[in-house]
Amino acid sequence: MPAAEVDVSPGLVRRLLAAQQPDLAHLPVEVMANGWDNVMCRIGDVLVARLPRREVAARLLVHEQRWLPVLEPRLPLPVPAPVRNGQPDLDYPWPWSIVPFLPGEIAARKPPADLRDAAVSLAGFLAALHTPAAPDAPMNPYRGVPLADRGATVTQNLSVLGSLVDHGAVMRVWEAAAAAPTWGRPPSWVHGDLHPANILVHHGRISGVIDFGDITSGDPATDLSVAWMLLPTECHDAFQNAYRAAAEYVPDDHIWARARGWALALSLAFLAHSADNPLIAEIGHHTINAVLA
């Protein structure tokens, strides 16, 4: 995990609330999660403070502040669109957000009870998201780009993993996916980091999608890779059919070939950079096994 560049504590959050959101300052504050990019602190029962712990994450948080309120009204699942935006203050150097608390556990720890229902729900969410992006939508050099652009990173991650993966099998799948025709339509909105740790499950059903820091425009195949991360093979047809029925465009077979390639590339990245994160490592193992099966 990257080292934090700023120490984000409940005490800091309380001071920021007192200075900038005094009507919330009386509420209890406790750390809920400490991730690669952000610290999440529960504020009372219904709100969460989201504070970057390093500078690169602050730039991503601004994208969430700008675009999630625009996208939220048309999405069929709850997302953490900021309800208040905080400013640098009290020696804390970056913007920060207050977002709604979304109930549920991440799908990486508690999968949906009915995976076919989950396939349809997730496909409907992605079809609603994957509409033409605004001209000034964020650009992300790592997500939404032509799949072949990730070739050097795939090779690098393979070298890190050594004998932990079957290089021949990986390269056969990768080369076939990278050879598929590129996305030929206007850039689409793309979540950019859609894996089972960013999908919430409540009462057995998918209840929300979180962490839009990598939101970008480009090839929606990046997000469709979630099928290999979350769903068993027997649910892929339900996922594809539901997406095809709800999408504004007609997806062709090439998008699914690229999606499989994205799943492979992301699984290698998860495995190569998760020495201190067993949850992400497990997602990586599951995904590469599904891709190569």
Side-chain angles (χ1 to χ4, degrees):
M1 227 171 115
E5 297 167 15
V6 170
D7 179 26
V8 177
S9 66
L12 172 64
V13 175
R14 293 188 193 100
R15 293 193 298 274
L16 287 170
L17 291 175
Q20 299 185 24
Q21 310 289 340
D23 61 313
L24 304 178
H26 68 286
L27 295 172
V29 175
E30 61 180 354
V31 173
M32 188 173 73
N34 193 335
W36 272 48
D37 290 335
N38 299 283
V39 176
M40 308 286 284
C41 287
R42 189 85 178 264
I43 305 172
D45 294 329
V46 298
L47 297 172
V48 175
R50 182 169 169 84
L51 291 89
R53 60 194 287 279
R54 54 199 192 112
E55 185 177 6
V56 65
R59 296 194 293 272
L60 302 181
L61 180 125
V62 171
H63 295 161
E64 292 180 333
Q65 291 178 339
R66 169 69 178 89
W67 292 109
L68 268 188
V70 175
L71 296 171
E72 179 192 30
R74 68 165 181 254
L75 298 176
L77 291 170
V79 298
V83 295
R84 303 192 190 188
N85 296 336
Q87 303 302 321
D89 200 0
L90 303 175
D91 294 326
Y92 182 75
W94 305 307
W96 53 285
S97 298
I98 296 176
V99 304
F101 171 73
L102 301 182
E105 296 185 52
I106 58 173
R109 293 198 180 101
K110 187 174 184 178
D114 184 336
L115 287 168
R116 188 168 294 274
D117 174 75
V120 173
S121 175
L122 198 53
F125 174 85
L126 289 175
L129 175 64
H130 292 164
T131 57
D136 55 340
M139 299 296 293
N140 187 318
Y142 307 109
R143 308 293 168 90
V145 298
L147 182 62
D149 290 0
R150 303 295 294 149
T153 303
V154 166
T155 301
Q156 180 181 5
N157 288 334
L158 266 179
S159 68
V160 170
L161 294 171
S163 61
L164 292 176
V165 297
D166 183 335
H167 286 226
V170 165
M171 291 309 299
R172 284 192 293 274
V173 172
W174 171 253
E175 288 169 0
T182 59
W183 176 248
R185 299 179 59 83
S188 164
W189 282 112
V190 176
H191 177 283
D193 197 24
L194 191 62
H195 54 68
N198 286 334
I199 297 169
L200 295 178
V201 175
H202 192 51
H203 297 314
R205 303 191 69 186
I206 292 180
S207 60
V209 177
I210 60 175
D211 197 350
F212 282 76
D214 282 315
I215 191 167
T216 187
S217 60
D219 182 0
T222 306
D223 289 345
L224 297 173
S225 64
V226 73
W228 285 265
M229 299 184 191
L230 181 67
L231 303 172
T233 303
E234 58 268 24
C235 292
H236 282 209
D237 282 348
F239 179 76
Q240 294 185 17
N241 291 338
Y243 183 80
R244 189 177 294 110
E248 287 191 3
Y249 67 99
V250 179
D252 57 27
D253 290 343
H254 302 308
I255 197 169
W256 305 112
R258 295 195 307 275
R260 187 185 184 201
W262 273 105
L264 178 64
L266 293 170
S267 70
L268 294 173
F270 293 165
L271 290 171
H273 302 284
S274 59
D276 60 351
N277 194 328
L279 182 72
I280 295 299
E282 177 55 33
I283 294 172
H285 282 294
H286 171 86
T287 302
I288 197 167
N289 289 337
V291 168
L292 298 181

